C-alpha cells in the first residue's frame, strides 16, 4: 500500500506529523511517501491512498481518521484527487510535480519530466537559451513583471570576469506562499532553472537568498543541492556537458526590504540590507559588483518547463503581454484558501467567489488586496478585473507576487490604511527620507483622520504623492497604493471615523 502525506509547512502546521505517526502505527508495512502540498490548504492534512494506480484523497485528516482511511470507510473520502474540481480547473506547469512526487527523489523528478529542459539547454548556445526565454514571454513573478529574457540578455552581453545568478526567495508579502511551496515540494525545478539561467548568461555561480522564517524550505533546499551536486546536475561538469554551474543556499535574517533586489544583494554580501540607488542596474553591477541575474523563485522554477515543452507552448497561454500561467495564492477571510495555477486572464470574481467560495465567515466580500501589503484594496465593483499585469494596473491594482487577501464587510478600511503606513514605517530600511519619515507622518495623519480632523485628508493625499514620487524603492513608492485605494473606494469608513469623533 502506498500512502502519500505532505511534509509541506502548511500541512505540518495542521498536524500532518500526528497523522503520519498514526499511519505508521496502524499500518507498519505501508509505504508512506512524503510530498509537497497539492495547494488545497483547507483540506490539509490531505492523505492520499493509491488504489489501482489512482490516488484517492482523504481530508482534512487527523489521527483519529486513520482507521477509516485504511479500511476505506472514512467519511472524509474525497475520491480521486486529480478529479477534484480544484485540480481539474488548473493549468499546472510550474507546479506540475508539487504534491505528486517525493521532493528529494531525483529519480521521481526525472520520471515526471525533470532535467529534460536542462539537457536541451546544454545543446544550445547562451544566446539561444536567452532567445528561448524571450520568446516564451516569461516575466518576473516577484512583483514588477519585467521581461525575464531582457534581463538575461543584459547579463549575457555584459563584460565581466564573473557573472552570477541570484534567486530571490525572500518571500515576505502577506498572503503569499508559492515560493515556499515550490522549494518544499519540488526543489529540483528551482535548481534546474538556475542551472539553465547560468548556462544562458555565462554564470558559473548561483545563490538562493532564503528567509530564515522558512526552516523547512531551508532544510529541503540544502539537501536538494547536495543531491544535485552528487548527481552532477551541479558542479564543474553539469550532466557531462563540460560546462560548470554550482550554487548554495544563503539565509537572510528576515527584513521585508530585502525582497527588493539591491537590498538583497547588499545583505548577500554581508552588508546592511539597504536599498542601492539605480543606476547601475544589478544586471551590470550586482553581486560583488559583477553582472547578476536576480529572479524570483517562480520565475526560475518556470524555466525548466519552457525548455522541456518549448517557448511557444508556454507563450500560448495567457492574456495580452502576460504570457503563461499565474500562481494565485488565495488567503485571508476566504472559505477555500490555497494555491491555484492557471493561465493569465481569470477574473478576480471567479477566483474569490467561485474558487475561493467567498468568505469563511459567510459575510459579503468587502475588499480584496492583490499583490501583498503594498497592493491596492480593490472593492467589489472591481472584481470583474482580469488578472494580468497591465489589465490589473488599469484598474488601479498591482499584481505583484499574485497573493490575494480577502476581507469581509466588517473590516475597517481606515484601520487597514493605517496598517499599511505602519508596515512601511516598521520595515523601512531608512535610507531615503520620503519612506523613513513619510511613513511615520502617515500613521500620525491617519490617526488625526480617525479623531475627526477633516484637514488631515488632503494632507494624507499630498503625503502619499510625495512618497510615491520621491521614494528610492517600491516599499515607500507603493505604500500609497493601499492607503489611497482605501480612502478612494471606502470613503464611508473614513467618514464614520469623523462622525464617531464628533
Amino acid at each position: 500500500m502506498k500512502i502519500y502525506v505532505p511534509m509541506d509547512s502548511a500541512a505540518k502546521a495542521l498536524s500532518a506529523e500526528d497523522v503520519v505517526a498514526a499511519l505508521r502505527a496502524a499500518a507498519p508495512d505501508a509505504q508512506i511517501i512524503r510530498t509537497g502540498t497539492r495547494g488545497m490548504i483547507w483540506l490539509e492534512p490531505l492523505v492520499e491512498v493509491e488504489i489501482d494506480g489512482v490516488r484517492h484523497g482523504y481530508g482534512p485528516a487527523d489521527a483519529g481518521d486513520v482507521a477509516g482511511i485504511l479500511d476505506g470507510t472514512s467519511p472524509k473520502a474525497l475520491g480521486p484527487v486529480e478529479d477534484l474540481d480544484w485540480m481539474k480547473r488548473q493549468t499546472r506547469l510550474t507546479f506540475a510535480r508539487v504534491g505528486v512526487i517525493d521532493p528529494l527523489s531525483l529519480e521521481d523528478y526525472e520520471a515526471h519530466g525533470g532535467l529534460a529542459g536542462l539537457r536541451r539547454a546544454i545543446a544550445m548556445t547562451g544566446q539561444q537559451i536567452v532567445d528561448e526565454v524571450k520568446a516564451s514571454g516569461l516575466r518576473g513573478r516577484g512583483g514588477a513583471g519585467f521581461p525575464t529574457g531582457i534581463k538575461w540578455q543584459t547579463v549575457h552581453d555584459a563584460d565581466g570576469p564573473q557573472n552570477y545568478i541570484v534567486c530571490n526567495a525572500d518571500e515576505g508579502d502577506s498572503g503569499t506562499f508559492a515560493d515556499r511551496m515550490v522549494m518544499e515540494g519540488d526543489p529540483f525545478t528551482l535548481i534546474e532553472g538556475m542551472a539553465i539561467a547560468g548556462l544562458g548568461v555565462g554564470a558559473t555561480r548561483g545563490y538562493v537568498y532564503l528567509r530564515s522564517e522558512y526552516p523547512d524550505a531551508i532544510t529541503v533546499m540544502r539537501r536538494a543541492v547536495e543531491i544535485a551536486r552528487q548527481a552532477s546536475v551541479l558542479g564543474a561538469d553539469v550532466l557531462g556537458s563540460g560546462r560548470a554551474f554550482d550554487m548554495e543556499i544563503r539565509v537572510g535574517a528576515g527584513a521585508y526590504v530585502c525582497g527588493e533586489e539591491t537590498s538583497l544583494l547588499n545583505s548577500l554580501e554581508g552588508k546592511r540590507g539597504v536599498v542601492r540607488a539605480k543606476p547601475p542596474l544589478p544586471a551590470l553591477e550586482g553581486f560583488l559588483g559583477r553582472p547578476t541575474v536576480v529572479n524570483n523563485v517562480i520565475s526560475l522554477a518556470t524555466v525548466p518547463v519552457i525548455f522541456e515543452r518549448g517557448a511557444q507552448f508556454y507563450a500560448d497561454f495567457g492574456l495580452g503581454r502576460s504570457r503563461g500561467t499565474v500562481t494565485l495564492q488565495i488567503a485571508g477571510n476566504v472559505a477555500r484558501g490555497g494555491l491555484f495555477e492557471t493561465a493569465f486572464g481569470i477574473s478576480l470574481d471567479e477566483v474569490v467567489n467561485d474558487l475561493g467560495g467567498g468568505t469563511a465567515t459567510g459575510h459579503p466580500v468587502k475588499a480584496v488586496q492583490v499583490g501583498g501589503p503594498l497592493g491596492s484594496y480593490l472593492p467589489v465593483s472591481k472584481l470583474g478585473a482580469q488578472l494580468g499585469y497591465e489589465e490589473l494596473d488599469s484598474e488601479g491594482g498591482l499584481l505583484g507576487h499574485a497573493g490575494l487577501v480577502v476581507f469581509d464587510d466588517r473590516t475597517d478600511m481606515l484601520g487597514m490604511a493605517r496598517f499599511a503606513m505602519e508596515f512601511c514605517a516598521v520595515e523601512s530600511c531608512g535610507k531615503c527620507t520620503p519612506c523613513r519619515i513619510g511613513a511615520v507622518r502617515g500613521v500620525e495623519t491617519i490617526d488625526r483622520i480617525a479623531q475627526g480632523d477633516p484637514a488631515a485628508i488632503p494632507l494624507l493625499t499630498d503625503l502619499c504623492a510625495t512618497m510615491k514620487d520621491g521614494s528610492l524603492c517600491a516599499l515607500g513608492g507603493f505604500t500609497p497604493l493601499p492607503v489611497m485605494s482605501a480612502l478612494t473606494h471606502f470613503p464611508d469608513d473614513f467618514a464614520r471615523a469623523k462622525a464617531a469623533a464628533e
Side-chain angles (χ1 to χ4, degrees):
M1 176 182 286
K2 286 186 179 180
I3 304 174
Y4 300 82
V5 184
M7 64 177 188
D8 176 270
S9 297
K12 290 172 74 172
L14 294 165
S15 303
E17 301 310 297
D18 293 341
V19 174
V20 169
L23 284 167
R24 285 177 174 153
D29 295 330
Q31 181 183 359
I32 299 176
I33 302 166
R34 307 306 300 273
T35 66
T37 176
R38 294 275 197 163
M40 297 176 285
I41 306 302
W42 77 96
L43 293 177
E44 294 291 3
L46 176 66
V47 177
E48 298 180 48
V49 179
E50 187 172 294
I51 304 171
D52 297 327
V54 177
R55 286 161 62 166
H56 292 249
Y58 299 83
D62 57 45
D65 296 319
V66 165
I69 290 172
L70 293 175
D71 65 20
T73 62
S74 173
K76 294 183 178 178
L78 303 167
V81 173
E82 295 291 346
D83 289 343
L84 296 177
D85 185 62
W86 180 274
M87 299 301 298
K88 287 173 67 176
R89 292 171 63 179
Q90 294 189 62
T91 302
R92 283 210 161 196
L93 301 181
T94 307
F95 280 77
R97 286 176 291 265
V98 177
V100 176
I101 66 170
D102 174 350
L104 290 174
S105 170
L106 193 58
E107 293 76 17
D108 275 4
Y109 181 69
E110 287 195 76
H112 288 81
L115 300 184
L118 179 56
R119 289 193 172 95
R120 179 177 172 229
I122 284 171
M124 302 167 74
T125 66
Q127 187 59 59
Q128 288 173 331
I129 291 172
V130 172
D131 288 343
E132 189 80 359
V133 175
K134 285 182 185 176
S136 74
L138 179 66
R139 294 169 67 174
R141 296 293 190 257
F146 188 81
T148 303
I150 300 299
K151 184 179 289 190
W152 287 22
Q153 185 71 66
T154 305
V155 177
H156 174 277
D157 295 344
D159 183 20
Q162 175 68 59
N163 295 350
Y164 292 100
I165 307 295
V166 173
C167 173
N168 182 349
D170 192 61
E171 185 176 51
D173 284 349
S174 51
T176 59
F177 42 89
D179 292 357
R180 177 187 60 74
M181 277 182 58
V182 164
M183 291 185 287
E184 293 179 0
D186 191 15
F188 293 118
T189 195
L190 175 56
I191 292 170
E192 183 180 358
M194 291 183 68
I196 293 171
L199 297 178
V201 305
T204 59
R205 294 289 302 172
Y207 299 90
V208 177
Y209 184 90
L210 215 170
R211 61 192 301 106
S212 60
E213 293 92 336
Y214 281 176
D216 290 343
I218 293 167
T219 299
V220 172
M221 283 302 305
R222 282 179 169 162
R223 180 62 186 136
V225 167
E226 291 173 2
I227 293 169
R229 195 175 288 131
Q230 291 165 4
S232 294
V233 175
L234 297 173
D237 186 19
V238 174
L239 295 180
S241 66
R243 299 160 78 177
F245 183 80
D246 209 344
M247 58 182 283
E248 62 182 273
I249 309 302
R250 294 282 183 88
V251 178
Y256 179 79
V257 76
C258 285
E260 192 278 332
E261 61 180 2
T262 64
S263 186
L264 181 155
L265 291 172
N266 274 338
S267 179
L268 192 60
E269 292 175 6
K271 302 172 184 174
R272 184 178 172 216
V274 296
V275 176
R276 299 177 184 176
K278 291 187 285 188
L281 297 172
L284 298 174
E285 294 183 31
F287 183 58
L288 301 177
R290 304 302 187 194
T292 305
V293 168
V294 183
N295 279 146
N296 162 265
V297 171
I298 301 301
S299 306
L300 289 164
T302 300
V303 168
V305 74
I306 291 171
F307 281 79
E308 177 195 356
R309 309 288 290 273
Q312 191 58 52
F313 169 83
Y314 190 77
D316 283 344
F317 297 97
L319 171 75
R321 291 176 53 210
S322 302
R323 309 315 308 165
T325 59
V326 58
T327 49
L328 301 169
Q329 298 131 90
I330 308 167
N333 187 344
V334 66
R336 295 190 291 270
L339 183 133
F340 190 92
E341 182 178 2
T342 187
F344 283 100
I346 190 172
S347 73
L348 264 175
D349 182 66
E350 184 177 353
V351 174
V352 174
N353 291 312
D354 185 5
L355 297 171
T359 66
T361 58
H363 285 258
V365 173
K366 181 172 184 175
V368 181
Q369 187 177 34
V370 185
L374 307 182
S376 298
Y377 296 110
L378 298 176
V380 173
S381 62
K382 297 280 188 180
L383 292 190
Q386 291 179 295
L387 290 174
Y389 291 102
E390 285 73 31
E391 290 74 18
L392 201 59
D393 180 72
S394 69
E395 297 289 345
L398 170 73
L399 183 60
H401 195 30
L404 287 74
V405 180
V406 180
F407 302 87
D408 73 12
D409 64 352
R410 299 174 300 173
T411 305
D412 172 21
M413 299 310 296
L414 183 144
M416 297 310 301
R418 187 187 190 280
F419 170 80
M421 273 295 186
E422 185 177 30
F423 181 87
C424 182
V426 170
E427 296 293 346
S428 174
C429 77
K431 184 165 184 175
C432 70
T433 302
C435 177
R436 182 184 70 249
I437 303 299
V440 176
R441 298 288 88 86
V443 173
E444 296 170 353
T445 305
I446 293 172
D447 284 344
R448 285 174 55 185
I449 296 171
Q451 293 162 10
D453 182 356
I457 290 180
L459 186 61
L460 178 64
T461 301
D462 185 61
L463 175 63
C464 283
T466 301
M467 291 179 66
K468 178 181 177 182
D469 295 337
S471 295
L472 195 55
C473 83
L475 178 55
F478 281 0
T479 293
L481 282 176
V483 176
M484 291 307 299
S485 63
L487 178 60
T488 301
H489 298 307
F490 307 97
D492 290 350
D493 287 20
F494 291 77
R496 274 195 293 272
K498 178 183 176 181
E502 293 173 346

